[in-house]
């Protein structure tokens, strides 16, 4: 209110306040929904030794995620002399908060599916090993693309150029490397951050499409085919 939104009403403030409050409460509910049953299963002796390690790791991630959220929000309340009076959270902390959430979600889903669905006994052929390597590489690329999106959000980089595939009238904008040293541009220059996110997004869709086409040449179980087709469909929607 003091720095930017001078005409904000109390009703408008309540809206963003409740958005943040709901996010915090939902995060706590998620934590309790995980930790309480996990403690109960542990006490009952229903967890194997390897599963106990997974449970402890996921519990630690749940707590770490909440701590990172507090650390991120705290950065939005700090006075920054170079912020041009625009209150914003640190894009680094925002990316860390999002990244840890993705790791927590993926690890939880993987653990749950490992318990619910038996592992397929497939012959370790050359093509299957290559498919698995491609899948791991594609996963890393998607994760990196999502993290770059956090930098776009943290810097409001989406507001710099709103044309596609060109950025304004150029394929490569003039101010791509305007900051010094050069490495700063990747994380702090809104133009470069948006440019990188576009390139990573296109690369992710391309990698997912290639992964799907490669998988069509290999005899795979129905469950795997459904997963790969769903991945391609979600990538197109995204």
């Amino acid at each position: 209110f003091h720095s930017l939104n001078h005409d904000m009403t109390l009703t408008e403030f309540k809206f963003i306040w409740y958005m943040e409050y709901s996010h915090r409460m939902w995060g706590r509910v998620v934590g309790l929904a995980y930790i309480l049953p996990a403690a109960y299963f542990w006490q009952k002796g229903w967890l194997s030794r390897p599963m106990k390690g997974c449970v402890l790791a996921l519990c630690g991630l749940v707590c770490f995620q909440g701590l990172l959220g507090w650390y991120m929000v705290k950065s939005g309340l700090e006075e920054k002399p170079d912020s041009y009076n625009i209150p914003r959270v640190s894009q680094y902390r925002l990316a860390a908060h999002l990244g840890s959430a993705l790791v927590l979600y993926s690890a939880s889903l993987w653990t749950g599916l490992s318990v619910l669905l038996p592992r397929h006994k497939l012959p370790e052929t050359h093509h299957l090993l290559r498919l698995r390597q491609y899948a791991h590489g594609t996963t890393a690329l998607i994760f990196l693309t999502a993290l770059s999106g956090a930098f776009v959000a943290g810097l409001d980089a989406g507001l710099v150029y709103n044309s596609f595939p060109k950025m304004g009238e150029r394929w490569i904008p003039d101010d791509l490397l305007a900051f010094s040293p050069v490495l700063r541009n990747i994380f702090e220059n809104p133009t470069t951050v948006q440019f990188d996110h576009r390139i990573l997004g296109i690369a992710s869709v391309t990698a997912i499409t290639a992964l799907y086409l490669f998988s069509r040449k290999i005899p795979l179980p129905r469950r795997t085919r459904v997963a790969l087709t769903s991945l391609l469909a979600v990538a197109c929607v995204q």
Side-chain angles (χ1 to χ4, degrees), residues 4-230:
L4 186 64
N5 300 307
H6 307 292
D7 57 346
M8 177 179 279
T9 65
L10 184 59
T11 301
E12 290 170 333
F13 172 76
K14 283 182 177 180
F15 174 76
I16 62 170
W17 189 92
Y18 277 117
M19 290 285 285
E20 170 69 13
Y21 181 75
S22 300
H23 181 66
R24 293 184 184 203
M25 292 302 106
W26 186 252
R28 290 168 186 173
V29 168
V30 169
L32 290 175
Y34 179 81
I35 292 172
L36 293 180
Y40 178 74
F41 295 156
W42 190 302
Q43 192 270 331
K44 284 287 187 179
W46 295 348
L47 302 177
S48 64
R49 188 179 181 87
M51 187 55 66
K52 286 181 177 179
C54 288
V55 165
L56 285 176
L58 289 171
C59 279
L61 271 174
V62 167
C63 298
F64 180 68
Q65 175 67 9
L67 182 65
L68 261 182
W70 165 81
Y71 185 60
M72 178 194 73
V73 171
K74 182 175 180 290
S75 69
L77 304 176
E78 296 169 351
E79 291 291 338
K80 305 179 190 69
D82 58 343
S83 65
Y84 306 102
N85 289 327
I86 299 176
R88 67 170 82 249
V89 298
S90 163
Q91 68 270 30
Y92 297 101
R93 300 184 194 183
L94 178 60
H97 188 50
L98 175 64
S100 65
L102 290 173
V103 170
L104 174 60
Y105 176 76
S106 301
S108 300
L109 184 63
W110 184 274
T111 304
L113 291 177
S114 299
V115 173
L116 293 171
L117 300 176
R119 189 185 182 98
H120 284 301
K121 302 296 183 182
L122 299 176
E124 295 288 332
T125 64
H126 175 68
H127 283 93
L128 187 65
L129 290 174
R130 283 185 63 190
L131 180 68
R132 188 175 296 144
Q133 290 172 347
Y134 288 170
H136 289 163
T138 303
T139 301
L141 184 59
I142 294 169
F143 182 73
L144 186 62
T145 304
L147 286 190
S148 74
F151 281 90
V152 172
L155 291 170
D156 283 336
L159 303 178
V160 181
Y161 292 98
N162 57 11
S163 55
F164 185 86
K166 289 185 177 181
M167 299 179 73
E169 299 298 321
R170 302 177 64 89
W171 289 101
I172 300 177
D174 292 331
D175 53 342
L176 196 66
L177 300 175
F179 289 15
S180 182
V182 174
L183 192 62
R184 265 188 69 203
N185 290 279
I186 299 174
F187 305 105
E188 299 181 12
N189 184 339
T191 298
T192 313
V193 166
Q194 190 192 128
F195 180 81
D196 291 344
H197 186 61
R198 289 178 179 217
I199 298 300
L200 286 168
I202 294 168
S204 292
V205 173
T206 304
I208 291 168
T209 304
L211 179 69
Y212 173 79
L213 294 175
F214 180 67
S215 73
R216 302 296 295 175
K217 302 176 182 178
I218 308 171
L220 294 170
R222 180 178 178 276
R223 199 170 74 205
T224 309
R225 292 218 173 278
V226 170
L228 286 162
T229 304
S230 301

